[in-house]
Amino acid sequence: MEKNRFSLPRRRFVQGLALGTAGLGLGLAPRQLLARQGHTGAPELRGDTFHLTLGGADVNLTGKTRPATTINGGIPGPTLRWREGDTVTLKITNLLPETSSIHWHGLLLPYQMDGVPGLSFDGIKPGETFTYQFPVVQNGTYWYHSHSGFQEQTGLYGSIIIDPKTPYPHTVDREQVVLLSDWSDEDPQQLYATLKKLSHYYNFNERTVFDTLRDFRDKGVIQTLKDRHMWNSMRMSQSDLADVTGYTYTYLMNGQPPNGNWTCQFNPGERIKLRFINASAMTFFDIRIPGLDMTVVAMDGQPVTPVPFHEVRLGVAETLDVIVEPDAHQAYTLFAQSIDRSGYARGTLTPVPGLTAKVPEMDPPPLLGHTEMGMGAMHGESGHDGMQHGMAHDRGKMDGMDHSAMGHEHHGAKTSTPPPPPFAVDNSNPDLPPRGSAIEHPPSEYGPGVDMRAMAPGDMLADPGIGLRDRPWKVLTYADMTTLGSTVDNPVDSLHADREIVLHLTGNMSRYMWSFNGIAFADAEPLELYHNERVRITLVNDTMMTHPIHLHGLWSDLELGNGKLLRKHTITVKPGEKLSYLVRADALGRWAYHCHLLYHMEAGMFREVRVVPAPHPNAAGEPPDDPHARHGGHH
């Protein structure tokens, strides 16, 4: 991943502003262009032909004026509204002093239109215009963002709404995009350099001497010292839930900080569709509307069986469509707090302009535990209830364990403890030993880039996640949803896999190194799939951080058990979790595959996936004209 060329020195940015104002030809300063958006969010553009300009502007979101990158002068960029079945043309003019790009997140399209410099095209050079053109073969809520350096962090992102050919099964009176993001006044290059030097620099929830004294009182001196030794041996902290926190981030809702109070007006009794999009660089948001239940109707653009709920954790790059029905003449707060409870985004649903509701207090920061260490399945625990009860029941056993058996590395040396039980591997993956090999685990998973392994990763699809397990209300999980129309007898695609690939999500928190199977992108070979084959990918999260994994250009059908599938473009994997999903490799080309935490991707958790022609007809077990190929899902 390229680095220094994306830095935006102040002087060069001002030069970009001058070009931007002249190029737009509107007679308005960039600050005026931003001001025109007001509190209504980004402007909406409809049709099949669009002109977007990438430029720069000074913005003040925190009390400080800082340079930002913009699309048509705004943060976020315009909401693009398309129609399923149309062919869209998007002319992107780059007035920045550096190469840029736009990636259409979650869309099925020719790989040359995917917008990843170095894989699908060369990028859009300064002063040039690049034309994207592709058919729209799906519908739902999606988004777009830069795939160049750290431009996404500084403002290059926006929403996409695709209207269906046939009406949705649910009717609504009003709809609204709720786009969540994170903003830092720091130059992202400096932010990343800080993480590389001191990975916990932004974590202000670290334990203090007072916490230790309290533990002495509550757990006793010996047990407290045992716990501290365990965490110190892993070079991890119980509070390492987020690399970048509210210490530097301001959390935005439709471009507005919390004190900006983005507002949506409604009439009591209306059915309102809220299209949530997590367009942040690094932040998981826990979303709820106190006093108002939500019903999910789509995730990642794909319709799902409706499920009522009260709160949900939305991973980076995921989208979620919900319906709410406020029937009282009162205001409601849209509350989205960060996973580490260091800040929140906030807005208001109100029947009367100026009427607001109480903003909830943030929860206390949760602490990582044995589940996040990958011990959740050691005693047969599976799902939410099993993890809670299993952790409590077996705490005595855990406390007496030899925690060096967790597979940590110390200064690059292997431990003497055998690795966990063997797993299936893929003989086409050069990083993994062949099937039947005496080598139980890839040697690449040991070394300076890996500082821990999950001993017993488990099924956690029904687990709401750390900080949400003890809620008195319903928290939505993957296990609650199924892609609408997908059944065991008639699944959205085949439940059979022609081939299986196992990938471990690996990292070294103290050195801020992230990878798949212990190999960073710069040293990794591409994953190669045959055209139209059905591949099962199993992800094992050996780290103690949550990772949103995104495969470009292809659907990821998450296996929920009992033949149920949840079709997604981004899959969040919790610490200590093991999950599997099926992929139909129905699009030839070179595709990006990565963690969607921006700085994790930059630090190496990125792979190239190549979909190549099968060596001979039906080699992958599916005919070339497979009926499941390139469809957007059931409606």
Side-chain angles (χ1 to χ4, degrees):
M1 319 297 292
E2 293 190 65
K3 297 180 182 177
N4 295 326
R5 72 170 183 163
F6 298 111
S7 181
L8 293 174
R10 173 72 182 169
R11 185 171 181 180
R12 294 184 65 197
F13 218 111
V14 171
Q15 293 171 350
L17 288 181
L19 285 169
T21 305
L24 289 171
L26 298 176
L28 295 172
R31 193 174 290 106
Q32 290 174 293
L33 291 173
L34 283 168
R36 292 175 67 192
Q37 293 178 210
H39 283 7
T40 60
E44 183 178 286
L45 305 179
R46 294 173 177 254
D48 57 16
T49 303
F50 303 84
H51 298 262
L52 301 179
T53 301
L54 313 182
D58 283 344
V59 299
N60 186 336
L61 296 169
T62 65
K64 297 179 181 178
T65 300
R66 300 295 299 159
T69 47
T70 64
I71 304 172
N72 286 9
I75 298 177
T79 296
L80 306 178
R81 189 136 199 165
W82 305 341
R83 292 175 302 182
E84 183 182 15
D86 284 356
T87 294
V88 294
T89 302
L90 303 112
K91 298 181 179 180
I92 314 297
T93 299
N94 181 18
L95 299 180
L96 292 167
E98 59 190 18
T99 298
S100 189
S101 60
I102 294 292
H103 163 60
W104 316 100
H105 187 100
L107 298 192
L108 308 178
L109 37 64
Y111 87 94
Q112 298 91 339
M113 298 289 106
D114 193 45
V116 180
L119 290 186
S120 56
F121 76 145
D122 294 331
I124 311 171
K125 294 180 172 55
E128 291 187 352
T129 297
F130 182 84
T131 299
Y132 293 87
Q133 188 174 71
F134 49 85
V136 180
V137 298
Q138 62 208 96
N139 64 69
T141 304
Y142 302 90
W143 66 297
Y144 63 98
H145 59 87
S146 171
H147 225 287
S148 298
F150 298 127
Q151 292 176 351
E152 179 187 336
Q153 176 74 91
T154 58
L156 286 193
Y157 54 83
S159 310
I160 299 172
I161 300 173
I162 306 176
D163 293 317
K165 286 181 179 179
T166 57
Y168 288 120
H170 50 267
T171 59
V172 297
D173 303 300
R174 185 186 304 270
E175 66 174 53
Q176 179 64 59
V177 168
V178 183
L179 186 145
L180 302 168
S181 58
D182 42 29
W183 166 268
S184 175
D185 284 342
E186 290 187 69
D187 184 315
Q189 289 282 1
Q190 180 59 45
L191 196 157
Y192 180 65
T194 299
L195 289 171
K196 292 293 287 184
K197 294 173 186 174
L198 194 64
S199 62
H200 60 275
Y201 178 84
Y202 298 101
N203 184 356
F204 273 54
N205 292 327
E206 293 284 7
R207 293 176 58 84
T208 67
V209 66
F210 300 105
D211 296 318
T212 301
L213 292 174
R214 186 175 59 249
D215 286 350
F216 282 163
R217 183 184 68 243
D218 296 342
K219 298 192 293 184
V221 174
I222 294 177
Q223 187 56 54
T224 297
L225 293 178
K226 281 184 178 181
D227 287 349
R228 290 303 93 216
H229 173 73
M230 176 184 65
W231 287 101
N232 291 337
S233 70
M234 291 186 296
R235 296 183 296 242
M236 284 286 294
S237 165
Q238 282 183 283
S239 62
D240 278 335
L241 279 87
D243 302 336
V244 192
T245 70
Y247 173 66
T248 186
Y249 274 154
T250 297
Y251 301 109
L252 309 180
M253 183 174 290
N254 287 337
Q256 297 293 327
N259 59 6
N261 188 26
W262 173 83
T263 300
C264 172
Q265 191 172 341
F266 68 89
N267 296 317
E270 285 185 324
R271 285 169 54 87
I272 307 168
K273 177 188 282 188
L274 301 176
R275 298 177 181 265
F276 287 103
I277 301 171
N278 188 344
S280 68
M282 292 289 290
T283 305
F284 292 85
F285 287 104
D286 293 343
I287 302 168
R288 69 181 192 266
I289 309 174
L292 193 61
D293 285 341
M294 296 176 271
T295 299
V296 61
V297 293
M299 190 168 204
D300 286 359
Q302 295 301 287
V304 299
T305 51
V307 179
F309 69 98
H310 192 76
E311 188 171 14
V312 64
R313 175 163 294 162
L314 193 63
V316 176
E318 291 184 314
T319 73
L320 191 78
D321 292 7
V322 307
I323 291 178
V324 295
E325 300 183 59
D327 54 8
H329 193 83
Q330 69 177 71
Y332 301 88
T333 295
L334 276 71
F335 186 66
Q337 62 180 329
S338 64
I339 188 175
D340 68 321
R341 313 311 190 218
S342 64
Y344 62 87
R346 165 256 184 147
T348 299
L349 296 176
T350 180
V352 179
L355 184 64
T356 61
K358 180 182 177 181
V359 178
E361 294 290 329
M362 283 193 297
D363 297 321
L367 295 177
L368 298 167
H370 293 111
T371 299
E372 285 71 39
M373 294 178 199
M375 295 180 178
M378 289 190 69
H379 302 277
E381 301 159 21
S382 178
H384 178 204
D385 295 334
M387 274 180 283
Q388 288 191 98
H389 298 146
M391 286 176 63
H393 178 266
D394 293 310
R395 189 170 302 279
K397 297 179 185 177
M398 296 288 192
D399 292 339
M401 287 182 59
D402 175 9
H403 294 287
S404 66
M406 291 183 64
H408 318 300
E409 306 307 314
H410 298 277
H411 308 292
K414 295 184 183 180
T415 66
S416 58
T417 305
F423 55 83
V425 295
D426 171 36
N427 56 14
S428 73
N429 184 344
D431 295 341
L432 302 181
R435 284 192 177 91
S437 168
I439 303 174
E440 292 182 334
H441 290 273
S444 59
E445 286 192 62
Y446 296 97
V450 179
D451 64 357
M452 80 164 292
R453 291 177 59 94
M455 274 290 287
D459 172 12
M460 300 169 66
L461 296 177
D463 176 21
I466 186 169
L468 297 178
R469 292 172 183 140
D470 298 321
R471 291 300 206 209
W473 50 70
K474 171 63 179 175
V475 181
L476 187 70
T477 68
Y478 286 164
D480 296 319
M481 296 176 283
T482 305
T483 296
L484 196 65
S486 181
T487 65
V488 178
D489 296 328
N490 184 29
V492 68
D493 198 342
S494 172
L495 301 175
H496 167 74
D498 304 306
R499 196 153 54 100
E500 299 192 8
I501 295 175
V502 176
L503 294 173
H504 285 240
L505 311 181
T506 47
N508 183 318
M509 183 65 175
S510 61
R511 300 189 185 191
Y512 209 74
M513 302 168 70
W514 302 100
S515 56
F516 290 103
N517 288 348
I519 300 178
F521 173 62
D523 302 316
E525 294 293 328
L527 294 172
E528 196 168 272
L529 310 181
Y530 289 139
H531 189 215
N532 280 330
E533 76 172 324
R534 188 74 160 154
V535 179
R536 174 177 288 111
I537 298 177
T538 296
L539 298 180
V540 181
N541 189 353
D542 281 330
T543 80
M544 294 186 66
M545 304 207 78
T546 307
H547 300 282
I549 303 299
H550 172 45
L551 174 58
H552 288 219
L554 308 171
W555 285 122
S556 300
D557 294 330
L558 181 63
E559 296 183 287
L560 303 176
N562 299 320
K564 296 181 179 179
L565 298 176
L566 178 62
R567 172 156 283 186
K568 297 179 77 347
H569 53 59
T570 307
I571 293 178
T572 293
V573 191
K574 304 178 197 71
E577 183 171 24
K578 178 180 180 179
L579 55 77
S580 297
Y581 54 98
L582 293 156
V583 173
R584 173 70 61 188
D586 54 6
L588 293 166
R590 303 173 65 188
W591 302 103
Y593 183 45
H594 59 89
C595 176
H596 220 284
L597 298 179
L598 184 61
Y599 301 106
H600 287 198
M601 180 176 72
E602 182 72 15
M605 195 174 278
F606 185 105
R607 284 291 175 96
E608 176 186 348
V609 170
R610 292 182 181 174
V611 179
V612 300
H616 54 80
N618 298 324
E622 294 285 354
D625 59 346
D626 179 70
H628 291 295
R630 311 312 288 162
H631 65 101
H634 294 260
H635 308 301

